[in-house]
């Protein structure tokens, strides 16, 4: 089965450090999402792209978070500077845009701990 | 965005059929209804999507009444491995990120 690959799987960093998370969407998928999951807030949409163009990043703290798709095979989510409240699992998902019946495929996530 | 309401938790036993209902009273005309399953330490996994009436695939069925203000995910003959959190999503363009994950329903299947 095709997979969405996220790296790293785990990251522990100190407050104030820059964190970069990477996602390789499934080949041919034109829509990519970034979600964050915490016990308190559940799954929150941070940003999503279609054909590499950002469509919505209203869920993302703009002062410290940035999301990009430098090419069709790579999506990045960067936090600078990181804070303890950013500790969460970050998921990337990809799929075909539009009302297709197959939904989206999620990666295994990056578990971020900021100390 | 259409707000969804699901039971927080449900218990079942192996071999039983499980029905999880989601309420979405302000669903819009073009909204689709999508269900995802999530196991601990994994990302959500797409189960099924529908617009009206009934949709069935190899793992589940989705029942949507005519008014579309609710939907029911039906899991036939559950096993212990179906223990997971199940999310219902409703959105104008479900596949464009306009949907919001709610709190989900934690299904626990017992032996």
């Amino acid at each position: 089965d095709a997979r969405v690959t996220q790296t790293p799987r785990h990251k522990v960093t100190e407050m104030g450090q820059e964190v970069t998370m990477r996602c390789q969407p499934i080949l041919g998928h034109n829509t990519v999402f970034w979600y964050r999951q915490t016990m308190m807030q559940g799954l929150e949409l941070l940003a999503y792209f279609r054909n590499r163009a950002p469509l919505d990043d209203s869920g993302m703290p703009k002062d410290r978070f940035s999301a990009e798709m430098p090419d069709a095979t790579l999506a990045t989510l960067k936090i600078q500077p990181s804070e303890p409240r950013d500790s969460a699992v970050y998921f990337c998902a990809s799929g075909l845009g539009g009302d297709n019946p197959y939904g989206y495929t999620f990666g295994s996530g990056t578990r971020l701990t900021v100390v | 965005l259409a707000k969804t309401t699901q039971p927080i938790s449900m218990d079942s036993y192996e071999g039983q059929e499980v029905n999880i209902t989601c309420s979405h009273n302000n669903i819009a005309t073009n909204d689709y209804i999508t269900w995802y399953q999530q196991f601990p330490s994994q990302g959500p996994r797409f189960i099924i999507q529908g617009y009206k009436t009934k949709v069935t695939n190899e793992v589940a069925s989705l029942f949507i009444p005519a008014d579309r203000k609710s939907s029911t995910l039906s899991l036939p003959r559950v096993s212990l491995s179906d223990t997971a959190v199940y999310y219902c999503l409703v959105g104008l363009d479900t596949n464009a990120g306009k949907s919001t994950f709610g709190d989900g329903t934690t299904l626990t299947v017992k032996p």
Side-chain angles (χ1 to χ4, degrees):
Chain A
D1 287 344
R3 295 184 184 184
V4 173
T5 303
Q6 289 187 247
T7 56
R9 288 296 310 275
H10 302 273
K11 176 73 176 178
V12 179
T13 191
E14 292 184 347
M15 182 174 63
Q17 296 297 306
E18 177 179 295
V19 175
T20 298
M21 290 168 271
R22 293 176 174 81
C23 168
Q24 181 177 0
I26 292 173
L27 188 65
H29 283 183
N30 66 348
T31 305
V32 174
F33 301 89
W34 282 105
Y35 280 91
R36 174 172 65 183
Q37 186 171 36
T38 61
M39 289 295 293
M40 294 299 296
Q41 300 297 327
L43 278 158
E44 303 173 275
L45 177 65
L46 296 176
Y48 78 99
F49 296 79
R50 179 159 291 164
N51 298 320
R52 295 176 55 202
L55 290 189
D56 188 349
D57 60 1
S58 59
M60 205 164 62
K62 301 290 192 308
D63 57 338
R64 299 184 300 108
F65 285 59
S66 62
E68 297 180 343
M69 281 202 72
D71 61 61
T73 65
L74 177 65
T76 62
L77 180 66
K78 189 174 296 185
I79 308 175
Q80 167 64 18
S82 58
E83 298 180 1
R85 58 179 168 155
D86 301 328
S87 296
V89 181
Y90 291 81
F91 290 107
C92 173
S94 76
L96 295 172
D99 296 319
N100 81 79
Y102 304 110
Y104 285 90
T105 303
F106 281 73
S108 298
T110 294
R111 182 174 296 276
L112 174 66
T113 303
V114 183
V115 297
Chain B
L1 297 176
K3 178 176 169 56
T4 60
T5 303
Q6 304 174 233
I8 296 297
S9 64
M10 294 181 68
D11 289 342
S12 183
Y13 291 92
E14 283 190 290
Q16 290 188 333
E17 178 185 74
V18 171
N19 295 310
I20 306 175
T21 296
C22 178
S23 296
H24 28 81
N25 291 320
N26 60 338
I27 188 170
T29 302
N30 295 330
D31 285 350
Y32 277 70
I33 300 157
T34 310
W35 285 80
Y36 283 84
Q37 174 193 55
Q38 186 178 27
F39 297 113
S41 301
Q42 294 185 26
R45 183 177 73 100
F46 172 82
I47 302 175
I48 198 167
Q49 182 184 88
Y51 181 79
K52 62 180 179 181
T53 62
K54 177 183 175 182
V55 180
T56 297
N57 62 22
E58 63 275 10
V59 297
S61 294
L62 179 59
F63 298 92
I64 305 168
D67 66 7
R68 305 201 325 123
K69 294 185 183 301
S70 67
S71 58
T72 299
L73 174 72
S74 181
L75 304 172
R77 298 178 298 282
V78 294
S79 64
L80 297 177
S81 62
D82 291 316
T83 294
V85 180
Y86 292 82
Y87 294 96
C88 159
L89 275 74
V90 172
L92 172 63
D93 178 357
T94 302
N95 296 318
K98 298 295 187 183
S99 302
T100 301
F101 281 88
D103 294 331
T105 297
T106 299
L107 172 65
T108 302
V109 180
K110 303 175 182 178

